[in-house]
Amino acid sequence: MIRPKKTILIAGALVLLALVLPGCRRTPDETRVREAIVAMAQAAEAGSAGDLAEPLSEDFDGNAGRLDRRKLTGMVRLLALRGDHVGVTMGPVSIEHRGERMVATFTVTLTSGGKLLPDQMGVYQVESAWRNEDGDWRCYTATWKRVM
């Protein structure tokens, strides 16, 4: 027969286990990449270069060398300083695993409430590649082309 003290101890351990286990679940990697993409779109709209740069790797390469991490954040800073607003509307994000990396494809529509040249606005098809760096998913390359 189990003593009452042991019963209470076992019941307490089970309750503690039930409370702790849900906290052990990790957000799926695909969700983390999607959340990072949405956060980048929000940062671009807000003119927050620091938040935009957060998910980018230090060696980020945009459109085959045309735009690195420093140039991209500088462009966002310049727009914010000029008071220009960029509207960003995201399409659905598709994620494909490629080994230990992921590729996310989506469309993005850029609109302007400022003085940006109209040829920079429009709908773009984007393909971005992501890798895990010390537990965080970082975008290390992206390509985009205007589709409309």
Side-chain angles (χ1 to χ4, degrees):
M1 179 171 202
I2 299 177
R3 294 185 212 163
K5 198 174 194 178
K6 278 188 177 179
T7 304
I8 292 171
L9 191 61
I10 291 171
L14 289 174
V15 168
L16 182 61
L17 189 61
L19 292 173
V20 171
L21 281 180
C24 293
R25 285 192 203 145
R26 248 189 42 197
T27 303
D29 292 337
E30 295 86 355
T31 301
R32 293 170 58 201
V33 169
R34 287 177 202 278
E35 289 171 350
I37 291 169
V38 169
M40 290 174 70
Q42 292 170 342
E45 279 192 318
S48 176
D51 290 340
L52 178 74
E54 180 64 29
L56 298 177
S57 68
E58 290 295 326
D59 62 342
F60 172 78
D61 176 37
N63 261 5
R66 292 176 56 200
L67 199 63
D68 62 13
R69 185 176 196 241
R70 186 183 56 77
K71 289 178 186 172
L72 179 60
T73 57
M75 184 174 65
V76 171
R77 280 188 189 95
L78 178 63
L79 292 172
L81 286 172
R82 289 178 28 182
D84 286 341
H85 172 77
V86 176
V88 180
T89 304
M90 298 286 306
V93 177
S94 173
I95 305 271
E96 177 186 337
H97 287 268
R98 292 192 184 161
E100 293 192 13
R101 298 179 185 212
M102 284 190 260
V103 173
T105 55
F106 53 93
T107 58
V108 63
T109 303
L110 301 179
T111 58
S112 174
K115 302 170 189 104
L116 289 176
L117 299 174
D119 64 340
Q120 295 171 322
M121 300 299 105
V123 180
Y124 292 85
Q125 180 66 42
V126 179
E127 181 176 282
S128 59
W130 297 73
R131 64 182 174 222
N132 192 317
E133 294 180 1
D134 300 322
D136 293 318
W137 284 93
R138 303 272 184 221
C139 179
Y140 65 93
T141 188
T143 58
W144 55 90
K145 64 181 176 182
R146 192 169 185 178
V147 291
M148 292 183 139

PDB file of all heavy atoms in Angstrom, residues 1-12 14:
ATOM      1  N   MET A   1       0.837  -1.174   0.000  1.00  0.00           N
ATOM      2  CA  MET A   1       0.000   0.000   0.000  1.00  0.00           C
ATOM      3  C   MET A   1       0.886   1.243   0.000  1.00  0.00           C
ATOM      4  O   MET A   1       1.880   1.320   0.705  1.00  0.00           O
ATOM      5  CB  MET A   1      -0.885  -0.042   1.242  1.00  0.00           C
ATOM      6  CG  MET A   1      -1.786   1.140   1.345  1.00  0.00           C
ATOM      7  SD  MET A   1      -2.945   0.854   2.688  1.00  0.00           S
ATOM      8  CE  MET A   1      -4.177   1.936   2.198  1.00  0.00           C
ATOM      9  N   ILE A   2       0.523   2.218  -0.806  1.00  0.00           N
ATOM     10  CA  ILE A   2       1.285   3.456  -0.892  1.00  0.00           C
ATOM     11  C   ILE A   2       0.868   4.357   0.249  1.00  0.00           C
ATOM     12  O   ILE A   2      -0.302   4.549   0.528  1.00  0.00           O
ATOM     13  CB  ILE A   2       1.035   4.152  -2.245  1.00  0.00           C
ATOM     14  CG1 ILE A   2       1.486   3.259  -3.387  1.00  0.00           C
ATOM     15  CG2 ILE A   2       1.732   5.492  -2.303  1.00  0.00           C
ATOM     16  CD1 ILE A   2       1.227   3.825  -4.743  1.00  0.00           C
ATOM     17  N   ARG A   3       1.844   4.900   0.886  1.00  0.00           N
ATOM     18  CA  ARG A   3       1.566   5.807   1.994  1.00  0.00           C
ATOM     19  C   ARG A   3       1.013   7.129   1.473  1.00  0.00           C
ATOM     20  O   ARG A   3       1.342   7.544   0.368  1.00  0.00           O
ATOM     21  CB  ARG A   3       2.849   6.072   2.766  1.00  0.00           C
ATOM     22  CG  ARG A   3       3.358   4.830   3.440  1.00  0.00           C
ATOM     23  CD  ARG A   3       4.554   5.196   4.278  1.00  0.00           C
ATOM     24  NE  ARG A   3       5.441   4.052   4.279  1.00  0.00           N
ATOM     25  CZ  ARG A   3       6.687   4.075   4.620  1.00  0.00           C
ATOM     26  NH1 ARG A   3       7.261   5.215   4.937  1.00  0.00           N
ATOM     27  NH2 ARG A   3       7.409   3.002   4.631  1.00  0.00           N
ATOM     28  N   PRO A   4       0.200   7.827   2.285  1.00  0.00           N
ATOM     29  CA  PRO A   4      -0.385   9.101   1.853  1.00  0.00           C
ATOM     30  C   PRO A   4       0.673  10.135   1.472  1.00  0.00           C
ATOM     31  O   PRO A   4       0.472  10.911   0.546  1.00  0.00           O
ATOM     32  CB  PRO A   4      -1.192   9.571   3.064  1.00  0.00           C
ATOM     33  CG  PRO A   4      -1.458   8.343   3.869  1.00  0.00           C
ATOM     34  CD  PRO A   4      -0.345   7.406   3.580  1.00  0.00           C
ATOM     35  N   LYS A   5       1.798  10.129   2.171  1.00  0.00           N
ATOM     36  CA  LYS A   5       2.847  11.098   1.875  1.00  0.00           C
ATOM     37  C   LYS A   5       3.418  10.863   0.476  1.00  0.00           C
ATOM     38  O   LYS A   5       3.648  11.797  -0.283  1.00  0.00           O
ATOM     39  CB  LYS A   5       3.946  10.991   2.932  1.00  0.00           C
ATOM     40  CG  LYS A   5       4.848  12.188   2.991  1.00  0.00           C
ATOM     41  CD  LYS A   5       5.788  12.042   4.168  1.00  0.00           C
ATOM     42  CE  LYS A   5       6.455  13.356   4.453  1.00  0.00           C
ATOM     43  NZ  LYS A   5       7.334  13.292   5.599  1.00  0.00           N
ATOM     44  N   LYS A   6       3.615   9.591   0.107  1.00  0.00           N
ATOM     45  CA  LYS A   6       4.115   9.257  -1.223  1.00  0.00           C
ATOM     46  C   LYS A   6       3.082   9.606  -2.286  1.00  0.00           C
ATOM     47  O   LYS A   6       3.430  10.071  -3.370  1.00  0.00           O
ATOM     48  CB  LYS A   6       4.458   7.771  -1.316  1.00  0.00           C
ATOM     49  CG  LYS A   6       5.802   7.432  -0.763  1.00  0.00           C
ATOM     50  CD  LYS A   6       6.131   5.996  -1.072  1.00  0.00           C
ATOM     51  CE  LYS A   6       7.518   5.632  -0.579  1.00  0.00           C
ATOM     52  NZ  LYS A   6       7.821   4.245  -0.864  1.00  0.00           N
ATOM     53  N   THR A   7       1.810   9.399  -1.998  1.00  0.00           N
ATOM     54  CA  THR A   7       0.741   9.708  -2.940  1.00  0.00           C
ATOM     55  C   THR A   7       0.728  11.198  -3.243  1.00  0.00           C
ATOM     56  O   THR A   7       0.620  11.612  -4.404  1.00  0.00           O
ATOM     57  CB  THR A   7      -0.630   9.266  -2.375  1.00  0.00           C
ATOM     58  OG1 THR A   7      -0.572   7.888  -2.061  1.00  0.00           O
ATOM     59  CG2 THR A   7      -1.732   9.525  -3.376  1.00  0.00           C
ATOM     60  N   ILE A   8       0.858  12.009  -2.215  1.00  0.00           N
ATOM     61  CA  ILE A   8       0.876  13.459  -2.400  1.00  0.00           C
ATOM     62  C   ILE A   8       2.098  13.867  -3.199  1.00  0.00           C
ATOM     63  O   ILE A   8       2.022  14.713  -4.098  1.00  0.00           O
ATOM     64  CB  ILE A   8       0.820  14.183  -1.036  1.00  0.00           C
ATOM     65  CG1 ILE A   8      -0.545  13.960  -0.394  1.00  0.00           C
ATOM     66  CG2 ILE A   8       1.109  15.667  -1.189  1.00  0.00           C
ATOM     67  CD1 ILE A   8      -0.648  14.436   1.037  1.00  0.00           C
ATOM     68  N   LEU A   9       3.230  13.256  -2.910  1.00  0.00           N
ATOM     69  CA  LEU A   9       4.468  13.572  -3.617  1.00  0.00           C
ATOM     70  C   LEU A   9       4.360  13.194  -5.101  1.00  0.00           C
ATOM     71  O   LEU A   9       4.744  13.971  -5.976  1.00  0.00           O
ATOM     72  CB  LEU A   9       5.640  12.834  -2.957  1.00  0.00           C
ATOM     73  CG  LEU A   9       7.023  13.252  -3.401  1.00  0.00           C
ATOM     74  CD1 LEU A   9       7.261  14.726  -3.089  1.00  0.00           C
ATOM     75  CD2 LEU A   9       8.058  12.409  -2.701  1.00  0.00           C
ATOM     76  N   ILE A  10       3.818  12.026  -5.389  1.00  0.00           N
ATOM     77  CA  ILE A  10       3.651  11.579  -6.772  1.00  0.00           C
ATOM     78  C   ILE A  10       2.663  12.477  -7.506  1.00  0.00           C
ATOM     79  O   ILE A  10       2.908  12.905  -8.635  1.00  0.00           O
ATOM     80  CB  ILE A  10       3.210  10.097  -6.824  1.00  0.00           C
ATOM     81  CG1 ILE A  10       4.366   9.210  -6.358  1.00  0.00           C
ATOM     82  CG2 ILE A  10       2.771   9.719  -8.234  1.00  0.00           C
ATOM     83  CD1 ILE A  10       3.994   7.751  -6.171  1.00  0.00           C
ATOM     84  N   ALA A  11       1.550  12.819  -6.861  1.00  0.00           N
ATOM     85  CA  ALA A  11       0.543  13.692  -7.476  1.00  0.00           C
ATOM     86  C   ALA A  11       1.151  15.071  -7.758  1.00  0.00           C
ATOM     87  O   ALA A  11       0.932  15.650  -8.826  1.00  0.00           O
ATOM     88  CB  ALA A  11      -0.673  13.824  -6.571  1.00  0.00           C
ATOM     89  N   GLY A  12       1.931  15.570  -6.828  1.00  0.00           N
ATOM     90  CA  GLY A  12       2.592  16.867  -7.026  1.00  0.00           C
ATOM     91  C   GLY A  12       3.565  16.827  -8.188  1.00  0.00           C
ATOM     92  O   GLY A  12       3.644  17.772  -8.979  1.00  0.00           O
ATOM     93  N   LEU A  14       3.409  14.846 -10.790  1.00  0.00           N
ATOM     94  CA  LEU A  14       2.630  14.760 -12.028  1.00  0.00           C
ATOM     95  C   LEU A  14       2.056  16.117 -12.421  1.00  0.00           C
ATOM     96  O   LEU A  14       2.057  16.493 -13.599  1.00  0.00           O
ATOM     97  CB  LEU A  14       1.513  13.726 -11.890  1.00  0.00           C
ATOM     98  CG  LEU A  14       1.981  12.264 -11.849  1.00  0.00           C
ATOM     99  CD1 LEU A  14       0.805  11.332 -11.570  1.00  0.00           C
ATOM    100  CD2 LEU A  14       2.667  11.883 -13.144  1.00  0.00           C
TER     101      LEU A  14
END
